[in-house]
């Protein structure tokens, strides 16, 4: 038990419990956790997706696609959150039960790299829209690099201090966001009238299957990483409730708002919608808070992953180094590779959620105990093999040029990978445990 004792000693100094279960007396109720997940769901990606759906589908179809996609995300998020609450451990720590102590380090590095890349993409997304806002509102022309650097440091600030800081940010930012967005909706209806939402679409038509896949794809990686937040839940019931509300309401809220705004204003340029409504300062606040609350969690998940790899390095130092690196990715233009990066990250990360939920729910939950970690194997080949197989399967269902495009199952490669991994892990796990 020397390893466990050493880890606990390190943890007491960090206060974020990145390498051990969160103590029961520090666990949170579902409402505060729901606010965290809603804040994560309210981001620019969801807003701009909603604007695209509103411009390419009629109102009924765009709302249907959003609700179905968000409902699927809520169910998957609740399953993943349940495992996090029962174990009290982060996604990267849970992976030690599945892939072995050395195998988990490989997984943690990949989770960390993808989370950092996504952080960089989102910072670039933020910088691009802030550049438009500053230019049109005040004729101030700032470079994308400068805005990316400022945005990255801002979003890094809360991640350094861990979950407690993220929770405080979410608690006061969510009401502000809802207030400003409510004002935008009212102004749009007041300016254009309610009949505008029923006007024929002006953009290229988006099929229902494609729309649902976009809604799911934009947040499915977040559901897989939900144990990073759910480990703070007072009970599994609190975790499930908070995760479902967060992914269903948080994800759908901003998308639906953007659908209405784009339908009323007849454009998918959300920044210009706010400006056209005379809401310049609220636009700046919404753009900043929406991206800050979401992106700080990306860096938080990355730092939890790297904490499993670099076990003797303080998490705050890991977060600072990782945050600076991810910010530099944004400064040098990773945002330009947004769609390709999103496709790649989803097919690699999604199977991990299917593997750990299947193992915990259907195969062998008894081994998911923190005290047993030091007795783990270094490598668990069957889980690693399922991960590789599920990732390849997802590439088969991903359209070219990012995948092979051989066939389709759900039209959502990330969901294909999750379900494939869940089923195969269950079958292979049952066969192997019987032989053992």
């Amino acid at each position: 038990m020397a390893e466990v004792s050493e880890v606990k000693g390190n943890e007491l100094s960090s206060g974020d419990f990145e390498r051990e279960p969160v103590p029961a007396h520090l666990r949170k109720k579902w409402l505060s956790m729901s606010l965290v997940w809603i804040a994560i769901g309210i981001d620019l990606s969801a807003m701009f997706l909603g604007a695209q759906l509103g411009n390419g589908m009629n109102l009924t179809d765009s709302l249907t696609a959003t609700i179905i996609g968000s409902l699927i995300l809520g169910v998957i998020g609740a399953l993943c959150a349940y495992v996090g609450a029962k174990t009290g451990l982060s996604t990267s720590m849970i992976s030690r039960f599945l892939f072995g102590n050395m195998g988990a380090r490989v997984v943690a590095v990949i989770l960390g790299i993808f989370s950092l890349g996504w952080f960089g993409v989102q910072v670039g997304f933020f910088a691009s829209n802030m550049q438009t806002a500053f230019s049109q509102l005040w004729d101030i022309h700032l470079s994308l690099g400068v805005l990316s650097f400022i945005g990255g440091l801002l979003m890094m600030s809360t991640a350094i201090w861990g979950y407690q800081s993220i929770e405080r940010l979410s608690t006061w930012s969510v009401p502000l966001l809802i207030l400003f967005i409510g004002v935008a909706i009212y102004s749009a209806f007041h300016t254009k009238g309610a009949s505008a939402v029923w006007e024929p679409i002006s953009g290229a038509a988006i099929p229902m299957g494609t729309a649902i896949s976009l809604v799911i794809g934009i947040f499915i990686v977040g559901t897989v990483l939900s144990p990073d937040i759910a480990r703070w839940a007072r009970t599994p019931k609190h975790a499930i409730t908070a995760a479902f509300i967060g992914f269903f309401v948080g994800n759908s809220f901003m998308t639906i708002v953007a659908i209405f705004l784009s339908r009323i204003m007849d454009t998918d340029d959300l920044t210009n919608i706010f400006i056209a409504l005379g809401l310049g300062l609220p636009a700046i606040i919404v753009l900043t808070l929406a991206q800050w609350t979401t992106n700080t969690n990306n860096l938080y998940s990355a730092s939890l992953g790297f904490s499993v790899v670099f076990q003797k390095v303080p998490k705050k130092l890991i977060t600072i180094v990782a945050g600076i690196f991810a910010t530099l990715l944004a400064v040098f233009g990773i945002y330009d590779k947004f769609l390709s990066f999103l496709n790649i990250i989803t097919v690699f990360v999604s199977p991990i959620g299917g593997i750990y939920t299947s193992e915990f729910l259907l195969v062998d939950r008894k081994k998911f105990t923190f005290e047993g970690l030091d007795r783990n194997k270094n490598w668990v080949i069957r889980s690693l093999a399922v991960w590789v197989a599920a990732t390849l399967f997802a590439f088969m269902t991903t359209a070219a040029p990012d995948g092979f495009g051989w066939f389709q199952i759900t039209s959502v490669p990330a969901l294909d990978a999750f379900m494939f991994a869940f089923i195969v892990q269950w079958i292979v796990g049952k066969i192997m445990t019987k032989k053992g």
Side-chain angles (χ1 to χ4, degrees), residues 19 45 109 118 145 161 198 272 281 302 308 355 421:
R19 303 183 188 98
S45 301
V109 167
W118 189 232
W161 301 104
W198 303 106
N272 283 320
L281 186 59
V308 172
I355 290 170

Side-chain angles (χ1 to χ4, degrees), residues 15-256:
D16 205 45
F17 310 99
E18 61 268 19
R19 303 183 188 98
E20 70 167 316
V22 175
H25 70 281
L26 294 176
R27 302 288 186 97
K28 312 289 182 177
K29 293 184 178 180
W30 68 269
L31 182 58
S32 68
M33 299 191 68
S34 295
L35 288 175
V36 172
W37 262 312
I38 289 172
I40 291 169
I42 296 176
D43 81 328
L44 296 183
S45 301
M47 292 172 73
F48 280 84
L49 172 61
Q52 288 181 330
L53 295 182
N55 205 39
M57 306 178 80
N58 65 46
L59 182 64
T60 302
D61 287 347
S62 58
L63 293 178
T64 300
T66 301
I67 291 170
I68 292 174
S70 298
L71 183 63
I72 293 170
L73 283 174
V75 172
I76 295 175
L79 283 175
C80 295
Y82 176 76
V83 180
K86 291 290 286 185
T87 61
L89 297 170
S90 68
T91 311
S92 295
M93 285 295 289
I94 289 170
S95 68
R96 292 179 64 179
F97 300 116
L98 303 161
F99 304 105
N101 289 333
M102 294 304 295
R105 294 190 180 195
V106 175
V107 174
V109 167
I110 289 175
L111 285 175
I113 289 173
F114 280 140
S115 293
L116 288 186
W118 189 232
F119 180 92
V121 166
Q122 294 282 10
V123 168
F125 206 15
F126 164 83
S128 176
N129 289 284
M130 289 296 283
Q131 185 184 54
T132 301
F134 272 95
S135 175
Q136 296 198 20
L137 287 171
W138 300 300
D139 199 28
I140 298 173
H141 304 283
L142 298 173
S143 73
L144 285 176
V146 169
L147 289 169
S148 294
F149 188 73
I150 294 171
L153 294 183
L154 182 70
M155 296 164 195
M156 183 175 72
S157 62
T158 38
I160 292 172
W161 301 104
Y163 178 81
Q164 307 286 0
S165 181
I166 295 172
E167 182 185 34
R168 283 192 291 271
L169 173 65
S170 302
T171 299
W172 64 262
S173 65
V174 168
L176 264 181
L177 282 164
I178 292 174
L179 173 64
F180 285 127
I181 290 163
V183 171
I185 286 286
Y186 172 80
S187 298
F189 275 110
H190 184 71
T191 302
K192 297 288 187 177
S195 61
V197 300
W198 303 106
E199 293 293 328
I201 62 173
S202 57
I206 301 175
M208 178 63 72
T210 301
I212 294 172
S213 71
L214 287 170
V215 173
I216 295 171
I218 208 162
F219 264 112
I220 194 166
V221 173
T223 65
V224 171
L225 297 173
S226 62
D228 296 346
I229 302 297
R231 65 199 181 102
W232 290 89
R234 182 165 294 182
T235 66
K237 185 177 180 180
H238 282 275
I240 291 171
T241 303
F244 183 81
I245 290 173
F247 285 107
F248 179 59
V249 176
N251 184 67
S252 61
F253 174 75
M254 283 307 296
T255 306
I256 289 172

